[in-house]
Amino acid sequence: MAIDHTNYQIDDKDKEILRVLQNNARLTNKELAAKIHLSTTPTFERVKRLERTGFIKQYATILDAHKLNKGFTVFCSIKLRHINSEKALAFCEMVKRIPEVTECYNISGSFDYMLRIQSPNMQYYQRFLLDVIGQHENIATLESTFVMEEIKHEYSVSV
């Protein structure tokens, strides 16, 4: 019988697995099993089930943006001129193709979208606005907020 992925409930041991893997996803199954005090086979089965049911979306390597000369962070709030399903989809598809945009959210309030953009410096960002974002004909207004200092940046979800 297939598992209903939409209603799958996790228990405390599953939550413990998620917490440990968020901190270090490179652990072997044996190392993970030792940390959560469970034998290797049930640990392996639980991890596979967490992956299958979508609790674990992917495994990633976190890079240092500053060392890669992409440490200038900007939050760009955008209001579209006209909003309907077709125009919103066109904007979202454009954003998905832009590597400098590392996050994009559809938001409520004065703006429709908030983008997190990583660039080398202010001059690069200015050219990026004019040559990339500014090319989308449906943008009515945008507002840039420049990050002066990153105080907290967590990739984990509280479990």
Side-chain angles (χ1 to χ4, degrees), residues 97-149:
R97 292 189 302 271
I98 302 171
E100 291 88 350
V101 177
T102 57
E103 297 174 53
C104 177
Y105 302 95
N106 180 215
I107 59 173
S108 65
S110 302
F111 292 94
D112 299 313
Y113 295 94
M114 179 175 287
L115 282 57
R116 181 174 185 256
I117 299 165
Q118 296 294 137
S119 73
N121 53 47
M122 177 72 82
Q123 293 76 23
Y124 183 96
Y125 179 69
Q126 181 184 23
R127 295 293 340 148
F128 172 79
L129 272 187
L130 297 171
D131 298 340
V132 180
I133 296 291
Q135 295 302 310
H136 196 278
E137 70 282 345
N138 195 28
I139 293 178
T141 308
L142 67 83
E143 180 179 292
S144 300
T145 303
F146 304 103
V147 175
M148 297 187 315
E149 179 184 11

Side-chain angles (χ1 to χ4, degrees), residues 17 21 40 43 50-51 55 57 61 66 79 81 83 85 92 96 101 107 118 135 138 140 143:
I17 289 170
L21 287 178
T40 57
T43 299
L50 289 166
E51 291 170 349
F55 286 91
K57 291 172 64 172
T61 301
H66 290 282
K79 180 159 190 61
R81 234 185 231 46
I83 189 103
S85 295
C92 292
K96 288 177 186 177
V101 177
I107 59 173
Q118 296 294 137
Q135 295 302 310
N138 195 28
E143 180 179 292

Side-chain angles (χ1 to χ4, degrees), residues 4-158:
D4 179 5
H5 300 310
T6 57
N7 292 321
Y8 180 72
Q9 298 294 313
I10 60 174
D11 61 19
D12 289 340
K13 194 57 79 172
D14 289 331
K15 290 177 184 178
E16 189 176 358
I17 289 170
L18 294 174
R19 281 191 292 274
V20 170
L21 287 178
Q22 279 190 120
N23 189 47
N24 184 359
R26 293 189 67 178
L27 291 174
T28 65
N29 186 61
K30 185 177 179 181
E31 292 168 329
L32 176 60
K35 283 191 178 287
I36 65 164
H37 308 290
L38 199 62
S39 63
T40 57
T41 300
T43 299
F44 179 79
E45 290 170 356
R46 282 174 176 269
V47 170
K48 288 300 169 199
R49 186 172 56 244
L50 289 166
E51 291 170 349
R52 231 182 9 261
T53 55
F55 286 91
I56 297 174
K57 291 172 64 172
Q58 74 178 51
Y59 297 93
T61 301
I62 300 168
L63 305 178
D64 186 319
H66 290 282
K67 288 185 178 181
L68 295 166
N69 195 30
K70 303 284 182 171
F72 187 72
T73 304
V74 182
F75 288 94
C76 182
S77 302
I78 295 178
K79 180 159 190 61
L80 298 182
R81 234 185 231 46
H82 306 286
I83 189 103
N84 62 38
S85 295
E86 182 183 322
K87 293 186 185 300
L89 180 61
F91 176 79
C92 292
E93 290 304 315
M94 176 200 73
V95 165
K96 288 177 186 177
R97 292 189 302 271
I98 302 171
E100 291 88 350
V101 177
T102 57
E103 297 174 53
C104 177
Y105 302 95
N106 180 215
I107 59 173
S108 65
S110 302
F111 292 94
D112 299 313
Y113 295 94
M114 179 175 287
L115 282 57
R116 181 174 185 256
I117 299 165
Q118 296 294 137
S119 73
N121 53 47
M122 177 72 82
Q123 293 76 23
Y124 183 96
Y125 179 69
Q126 181 184 23
R127 295 293 340 148
F128 172 79
L129 272 187
L130 297 171
D131 298 340
V132 180
I133 296 291
Q135 295 302 310
H136 196 278
E137 70 282 345
N138 195 28
I139 293 178
T141 308
L142 67 83
E143 180 179 292
S144 300
T145 303
F146 304 103
V147 175
M148 297 187 315
E149 179 184 11
E150 187 174 277
I151 307 303
K152 181 179 180 180
H153 186 146
E154 293 287 330
Y155 295 94
S156 60
V157 175
S158 178

